[in-house]
């Protein structure tokens, strides 16, 4: 029950995340979320949402298990089905501009943004959500409408993550408008940072 770090091995290639979790129905009943490096797939009231659509063979993932009696193995009895050589990097064709790329940490939280309005309108799909700890960029994501996944990195005591989030830090979230270059401070109900937080 709760967070479990599992190595992904099902066949010898990459696979669709929900298929690897035993199918959408089983996954919905037994899992709250699965996290990778700066990506995640989340069991929301509106169904599964997020940007971790494929698991890579040999990588590790945090899986939050809702059912303490689960007897789990990757893919269950469908080992030969739904396995693909899908390149997960192809999903991220839209690259964030260099100035808005963040450093991946071993400590991370995920903020799922269900709704966002600026002057009464939703952002455009090319707009970028930015997360700051003080004046340090600790996360970013293209606006993707309902349940946009914003990964926010923590201080893991390495030189690269100095000044990143620690337990209880307040996160400053901003919106970068692609069409005019404006950066707008956002306000809302934002929980303080904690490692592996999903909110």
């Amino acid at each position: 029950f709760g967070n479990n770090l599992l190595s992904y091995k099902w066949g010898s290639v990459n696979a669709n995340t929900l298929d690897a979790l035993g199918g959408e129905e089983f996954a919905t009943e037994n899992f709250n979320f699965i996290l990778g490096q700066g990506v995640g797939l989340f069991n929301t009231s509106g169904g599964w949402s997020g940007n971790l659509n494929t698991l890579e063979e040999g990588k590790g993932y945090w899986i939050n298990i809702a059912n303490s009696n689960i007897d789990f193995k990757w893919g269950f009895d469908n080992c030969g089905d739904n396995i693909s050589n899908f390149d997960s990097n192809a999903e991220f064709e839209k690259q964030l501009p260099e100035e808005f790329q963040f450093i991946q940490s071993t400590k991370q939280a995920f903020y799922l943004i269900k709704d966002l309005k600026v002057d009464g309108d939703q952002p455009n799909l090319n707009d970028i959500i930015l997360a700051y700890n003080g004046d340090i960029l600790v996360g970013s994501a293209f606006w993707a409408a309902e349940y946009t996944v914003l990964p926010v990195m923590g201080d893991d005591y390495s030189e690269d993550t100095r000044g990143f989030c620690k337990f209880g830090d307040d996160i400053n979230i901003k919106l970068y408008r692609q069409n005019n270059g404006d950066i707008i401070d956002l306000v809302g109900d934002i929980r303080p940072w904690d490692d592996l937080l999903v909110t």
Side-chain angles (χ1 to χ4, degrees):
F1 179 79
N3 291 327
N4 294 267
L5 185 58
L6 301 179
S7 177
Y8 173 66
K9 176 72 174 157
W10 178 38
S12 58
V13 292
N14 305 337
N16 177 282
T17 301
L18 290 178
D19 291 338
L21 290 174
E24 185 170 354
E25 183 179 339
F26 181 84
T28 300
E29 290 174 10
N30 292 287
F31 305 110
N32 294 316
F33 57 79
I34 178 170
L35 309 175
Q37 290 185 325
V39 292
L41 194 63
F42 307 89
N43 189 355
T44 72
S45 59
W48 285 91
S49 186
N51 56 1
L52 177 58
N53 300 314
T54 303
L55 301 186
E56 293 184 51
E57 193 264 335
K59 296 255 182 172
Y61 297 91
W62 283 103
I63 300 178
N64 185 275
I65 298 176
N67 179 356
S68 60
N69 297 319
I70 188 172
D71 181 17
F72 176 71
K73 61 183 178 180
W74 292 112
F76 284 85
D77 298 323
N78 304 316
C79 277
D81 300 338
N82 299 317
I83 296 179
S84 69
N85 285 310
F86 182 81
D87 178 6
S88 63
N89 292 327
E91 292 178 11
F92 302 103
E93 292 172 13
K94 261 199 325 187
Q95 290 292 323
L96 288 161
E98 190 172 338
E99 67 267 30
F100 298 133
Q101 292 177 9
F102 59 89
I103 295 170
Q104 178 68 46
S105 170
T106 59
K107 295 179 182 267
Q108 59 186 352
F110 290 86
Y111 291 77
L112 281 70
I113 303 171
K114 184 175 184 206
D115 188 39
L116 176 60
K117 295 270 169 87
V118 177
D119 295 330
D121 296 320
Q122 287 205 352
N124 296 319
L125 292 180
N126 285 331
D127 291 344
I128 301 172
I129 308 295
L130 305 168
Y132 289 87
N133 189 34
D135 60 356
I136 298 174
L137 180 70
V138 291
S140 58
F142 281 107
W143 172 251
E146 188 176 53
Y147 293 114
T148 293
V149 177
L150 177 64
V152 180
M153 301 298 122
D155 186 336
D156 63 7
Y157 307 107
S158 69
E159 190 66 34
D160 290 340
T161 64
R162 205 169 264 163
F164 282 24
C165 301
K166 293 184 180 175
F167 175 78
D169 281 350
D170 290 323
I171 308 305
N172 299 315
I173 297 182
K174 302 173 186 270
L175 176 71
Y176 172 73
R177 289 283 206 190
Q178 196 93 312
N179 62 350
N180 60 16
D182 287 349
I183 296 180
I184 301 165
D185 290 313
L186 301 176
V187 294
D189 185 14
I190 303 166
R191 283 185 54 187
W193 190 91
D194 192 8
D195 190 26
L196 294 181
L197 170 73
V198 173
T199 182

